[in-house]
Amino acid sequence: MIERLKRYLYRINLKLRGVTLQHNIRGRNFLYGNLKGLKNGAFIMFENGVKLNISDSNAILTIGEYSYINSYSIIDCHYRITIGKRAQIGPHCYIGDFDHDLNVDVRQSAHRPNKSVAEVIIEENVWLGAGVIVLKGVIIGKNSIIAAGSVVISDIPANVLAAGSPARV
């Protein structure tokens, strides 16, 4: 009973901050950072253990309607990530739109920006298998399938199956 009340209060808190939760959000602590940065369509399902991190105040994470994000997947948004309608994200996937500078002096400096960002676009009807990693600056074309365990480092065209590390058609 107390856990149900906590979930209810959490959802109200998110709605007051401008976030719309449509269906079946399981668990309470799945969204971190800029709560207003989440833009979503209707009928999205997040399974247990999903983490959405919208780090920067201008970052925008858009998830299209009827999308499904499976257990323990992480979406780490520092700039802009767009996931299209009816996308299927398998368990233990990672999607990130940033990386850190390779120069150790820049990484350790508090005065310089130590990360670079590039938009990630996952078009509609894409299926990411279990454990897929999608790195910054990637566009995955609609209706494509990315095989389990693949690492996507460059664009994938529409209507293809890609696999491997790095993922290839």
Side-chain angles (χ1 to χ4, degrees), residues 1-157:
M1 180 71 171
I2 291 174
E3 189 60 32
R4 184 184 286 170
L5 178 61
K6 284 180 183 178
R7 278 196 306 267
Y8 177 74
L9 292 174
Y10 183 71
R11 290 178 185 182
I12 288 174
N13 183 22
L14 289 177
K15 286 180 181 182
L16 290 173
R17 294 179 184 207
V19 174
T20 303
L21 302 177
Q22 302 293 342
H23 276 283
N24 296 326
I25 306 292
R26 298 180 186 173
R28 291 183 301 118
N29 299 318
F30 73 98
L31 180 61
Y32 298 91
N34 174 19
L35 302 179
K36 291 184 179 181
L38 176 62
K39 310 294 181 199
N40 63 291
F43 309 111
I44 295 172
M45 183 168 184
F46 298 98
E47 287 289 354
N48 286 326
V50 168
K51 301 290 183 199
L52 307 178
N53 180 26
I54 306 171
S55 292
D56 296 343
S57 61
N58 295 329
I60 298 173
L61 169 58
T62 304
I63 303 173
E65 62 189 19
Y66 298 104
S67 291
Y68 175 77
I69 301 177
N70 209 329
S71 302
Y72 305 105
S73 289
I74 298 171
I75 301 175
D76 202 354
C77 181
H78 290 244
Y79 173 58
R80 183 162 290 122
I81 296 175
T82 302
I83 299 172
K85 297 177 185 176
R86 293 180 176 80
Q88 305 291 311
I89 312 277
H92 300 279
C93 288
Y94 174 82
I95 302 167
D97 64 354
F98 78 103
D99 61 20
H100 294 285
D101 198 293
L102 295 177
N103 183 321
V104 69
D105 295 328
V106 174
R107 274 198 321 268
Q108 293 177 351
S109 171
H111 303 297
R112 292 184 244 164
N114 62 3
K115 65 182 175 186
S116 61
V117 297
E119 183 173 16
V120 171
I121 300 172
I122 299 172
E123 294 182 350
E124 66 183 62
N125 224 19
V126 168
W127 176 18
L128 303 182
V132 168
I133 298 171
V134 178
L135 299 179
K136 75 173 187 171
V138 167
I139 299 172
I140 301 175
K142 65 182 176 180
N143 303 319
S144 289
I145 299 170
I146 309 300
S150 297
V151 179
V152 183
I153 63 170
S154 60
D155 294 352
I156 302 293

